[in-house]
Amino acid sequence: MTKALGQHMLIDYFDCDSLSLRDTKVLEAAFKAAILEVGGTIVTSIFHTFSPYGISGIVVISESHVALHTWPEKNIASVDIFSCSSKLDLDQLAVLIKKILKSGYHNQRLFERGIHFSNCA
Amino acid sequence: MTKALGQHMLIDYFDCDSLSLRDTKVLEAAFKAAILEVGGTIVTSIFHTFSPYGISGIVVISESHVALHTWPEKNIASVDIFSCSSKLDLDQLAVLIKKILKSGYHNQRLFERGIHFSNCA
């Protein structure tokens, strides 16, 4: 197996503060600050507000991306962090995002990207 | 376990055509066309070209997002498709993207999002 090109962390946050999942501008600023705090380099971002509620936010970083989707009515947010740099601390970023979303509990799964498996088609 | 809020497919494409991984405008147009073909609804998109090469592209869709990262020097591209709609055919989209990238082989992994696990922290 060859060396992975990146790490991809999928995180689902539960028991979030519903209001925190609705404020697009606050979320975008907080996500960018958290990414900078863990050593990420921001390229650009899009945060879109759906009607009547729900946000999809993407921050493109030099290391790859951070994506957010919120369901305020369920107090749930799904985040994924893709990084091709070992310098970016994914675990630390997941903790910072948990605080931003005021989440009670979460799960996270980490996968290697860009590697061959025996089931390639 | 509660019902998943979405499906998240992680796909790594290998043996891609290097030139096809470098043309940002062509890739953006082709990705959008493929998403429309499988029933997705495009909200907005960002495709960024890195120097000297490499592209990060994100299409925000009503159903969630499609993200692309390319490594032309390795003939590899990593894609992830997040959809909260059962109407969007992830497998079909993965096949269409394989054609766009002119990939020889790929692997794909599918995960449920927004569900509780016993290891929630």
Side-chain angles (χ1 to χ4, degrees):
Chain A
M1 186 177 287
T2 54
K3 189 174 177 292
L5 286 182
Q7 305 286 321
H8 203 165
M9 184 178 279
L10 313 188
I11 319 163
D12 291 313
Y13 294 97
F14 303 95
D15 191 26
C16 299
D17 174 57
S18 180
L19 285 179
S20 297
L21 301 187
R22 295 169 192 257
D23 195 328
T24 309
K25 287 188 177 177
V26 168
L27 278 179
E28 182 168 9
F31 265 62
K32 287 181 172 179
I35 289 166
L36 292 174
E37 188 172 335
V38 300
T41 303
I42 295 168
V43 173
T44 186
S45 63
I46 297 177
F47 276 67
H48 178 79
T49 312
F50 289 97
S51 178
Y53 40 64
I55 294 165
S56 283
I58 312 275
V59 185
V60 178
I61 55 179
S62 295
E63 298 81 6
S64 288
H65 77 254
V66 180
L68 161 75
H69 303 285
T70 78
W71 289 267
E73 74 282 18
K74 296 177 186 289
N75 304 92
I76 294 175
S78 288
V79 169
D80 67 278
I81 308 167
F82 190 148
S83 173
C84 57
S85 168
S86 58
K87 293 180 185 172
L88 198 148
D89 188 331
L90 302 186
D91 288 309
Q92 186 187 357
L93 184 53
V95 169
L96 291 175
I97 291 173
K98 187 173 187 178
K99 289 178 184 169
I100 292 167
L101 304 174
K102 298 175 185 169
S103 162
Y105 59 105
H106 73 290
N107 63 54
Q108 64 187 53
R109 293 169 280 181
L110 184 65
F111 303 98
E112 293 194 313
R113 297 301 307 268
I115 49 171
H116 301 193
F117 294 110
S118 56
N119 67 343
C120 280
Chain B
M1 186 177 285
T2 53
K3 188 172 177 297
L5 287 181
Q7 305 285 321
H8 202 165
M9 184 177 279
L10 313 188
I11 319 163
D12 291 313
Y13 294 96
F14 303 95
D15 191 26
C16 299
D17 175 56
S18 180
L19 285 179
S20 296
L21 300 187
R22 295 170 193 256
D23 195 328
T24 309
K25 286 188 177 176
V26 169
L27 278 178
E28 182 168 9
F31 265 62
K32 286 181 173 178
I35 289 165
L36 292 173
E37 187 172 338
V38 300
T41 303
I42 294 168
V43 174
T44 186
S45 63
I46 297 178
F47 276 66
H48 178 79
T49 312
F50 290 97
S51 176
Y53 40 65
I55 294 166
S56 283
I58 312 275
V59 185
V60 178
I61 55 178
S62 295
E63 298 80 7
S64 287
H65 77 254
V66 180
L68 162 74
H69 303 286
T70 77
W71 289 267
E73 75 281 18
K74 296 178 187 290
N75 304 92
I76 295 175
S78 288
V79 169
D80 68 277
I81 308 167
F82 189 148
S83 174
C84 57
S85 168
S86 59
K87 292 179 185 172
L88 198 148
D89 188 330
L90 302 186
D91 288 309
Q92 186 187 356
L93 184 52
V95 170
L96 292 175
I97 291 173
K98 187 173 187 176
K99 290 178 184 169
I100 292 167
L101 303 174
K102 299 175 184 168
S103 162
Y105 59 106
H106 74 289
N107 64 55
Q108 66 187 53
R109 294 170 278 182
L110 185 63
F111 302 98
E112 293 194 312
R113 298 300 308 267
I115 48 170
H116 300 192
F117 295 110
S118 55
N119 67 342
C120 280

